[in-house]
Short mmCIF file of all heavy atoms in Angstrom, two decimals:
data_model
loop_
_atom_site.label_atom_id
_atom_site.label_comp_id
_atom_site.label_asym_id
_atom_site.label_seq_id
_atom_site.Cartn_x
_atom_site.Cartn_y
_atom_site.Cartn_z
N LYS A 307 -24.76 28.79 24.30
CA LYS A 307 -25.35 27.48 24.60
C LYS A 307 -24.26 26.44 24.86
O LYS A 307 -24.36 25.64 25.80
CB LYS A 307 -26.23 27.05 23.43
CG LYS A 307 -27.05 25.80 23.70
CD LYS A 307 -27.99 25.51 22.54
CE LYS A 307 -28.83 24.26 22.82
NZ LYS A 307 -29.75 23.96 21.67
N ILE A 308 -23.22 26.47 24.05
CA ILE A 308 -22.10 25.53 24.25
C ILE A 308 -21.40 25.81 25.57
O ILE A 308 -21.07 24.88 26.33
CB ILE A 308 -21.11 25.64 23.07
CG1 ILE A 308 -21.77 25.11 21.79
CG2 ILE A 308 -19.83 24.88 23.37
CD1 ILE A 308 -20.98 25.41 20.53
N ALA A 309 -21.17 27.08 25.87
CA ALA A 309 -20.47 27.45 27.11
C ALA A 309 -21.27 27.05 28.34
O ALA A 309 -20.68 26.74 29.39
CB ALA A 309 -20.20 28.95 27.12
N ALA A 310 -22.59 27.06 28.24
CA ALA A 310 -23.44 26.74 29.39
C ALA A 310 -23.65 25.23 29.56
O ALA A 310 -24.22 24.80 30.57
CB ALA A 310 -24.79 27.42 29.24
N SER A 311 -23.19 24.43 28.61
CA SER A 311 -23.42 22.98 28.69
C SER A 311 -22.48 22.35 29.71
O SER A 311 -21.50 22.95 30.14
CB SER A 311 -23.19 22.34 27.32
OG SER A 311 -21.81 22.21 27.04
N ASP A 312 -22.79 21.10 30.07
CA ASP A 312 -21.95 20.36 31.03
C ASP A 312 -21.02 19.38 30.33
O ASP A 312 -20.45 18.49 30.96
CB ASP A 312 -22.82 19.64 32.05
CG ASP A 312 -23.76 18.63 31.40
OD1 ASP A 312 -23.75 18.49 30.15
OD2 ASP A 312 -24.51 17.96 32.14
N LEU A 313 -20.84 19.53 29.01
CA LEU A 313 -19.96 18.61 28.28
C LEU A 313 -18.49 18.89 28.55
O LEU A 313 -17.66 17.99 28.46
CB LEU A 313 -20.24 18.72 26.77
CG LEU A 313 -21.61 18.25 26.30
CD1 LEU A 313 -21.74 18.45 24.79
CD2 LEU A 313 -21.83 16.78 26.65
N PHE A 314 -18.18 20.14 28.86
CA PHE A 314 -16.79 20.54 29.08
C PHE A 314 -16.56 20.84 30.56
O PHE A 314 -17.51 21.01 31.33
CB PHE A 314 -16.46 21.77 28.24
CG PHE A 314 -16.58 21.54 26.75
CD1 PHE A 314 -17.77 21.81 26.09
CD2 PHE A 314 -15.52 21.03 26.02
CE1 PHE A 314 -17.90 21.60 24.73
CE2 PHE A 314 -15.64 20.81 24.66
CZ PHE A 314 -16.83 21.10 24.01
N GLU A 315 -15.30 20.91 30.94
CA GLU A 315 -14.96 21.26 32.30
C GLU A 315 -15.47 22.67 32.62
O GLU A 315 -15.53 23.53 31.73
CB GLU A 315 -13.43 21.22 32.50
CG GLU A 315 -12.83 19.84 32.37
CD GLU A 315 -13.25 18.92 33.51
OE1 GLU A 315 -13.49 19.43 34.63
OE2 GLU A 315 -13.34 17.70 33.29
N PRO A 316 -15.84 22.94 33.87
CA PRO A 316 -16.32 24.28 34.23
C PRO A 316 -15.31 25.35 33.84
O PRO A 316 -14.13 25.25 34.17
CB PRO A 316 -16.50 24.20 35.75
CG PRO A 316 -16.76 22.74 36.02
CD PRO A 316 -15.91 22.00 35.02
N GLY A 317 -15.77 26.37 33.12
CA GLY A 317 -14.90 27.46 32.71
C GLY A 317 -14.07 27.18 31.47
O GLY A 317 -13.34 28.06 31.01
N GLU A 318 -14.17 25.96 30.92
CA GLU A 318 -13.35 25.62 29.75
C GLU A 318 -13.84 26.36 28.51
O GLU A 318 -13.04 26.70 27.63
CB GLU A 318 -13.38 24.12 29.51
CG GLU A 318 -12.50 23.66 28.36
CD GLU A 318 -12.52 22.15 28.16
OE1 GLU A 318 -13.00 21.43 29.06
OE2 GLU A 318 -12.07 21.70 27.10
N MET A 319 -15.14 26.59 28.43
CA MET A 319 -15.72 27.33 27.31
C MET A 319 -16.40 28.59 27.87
O MET A 319 -17.30 28.48 28.72
CB MET A 319 -16.75 26.48 26.58
CG MET A 319 -16.17 25.22 25.93
SD MET A 319 -15.23 25.65 24.45
CE MET A 319 -14.63 24.04 23.95
N VAL A 320 -15.99 29.74 27.41
CA VAL A 320 -16.55 31.00 27.89
C VAL A 320 -16.95 31.85 26.70
O VAL A 320 -16.11 32.17 25.83
CB VAL A 320 -15.54 31.77 28.77
CG1 VAL A 320 -16.13 33.11 29.20
CG2 VAL A 320 -15.14 30.93 29.98
#
Side-chain angles (χ1 to χ4, degrees):
K307 188 175 181 181
I308 292 169
S311 77
D312 61 359
L313 294 178
F314 299 92
E315 294 292 330
E318 183 179 346
M319 297 286 178
V320 177

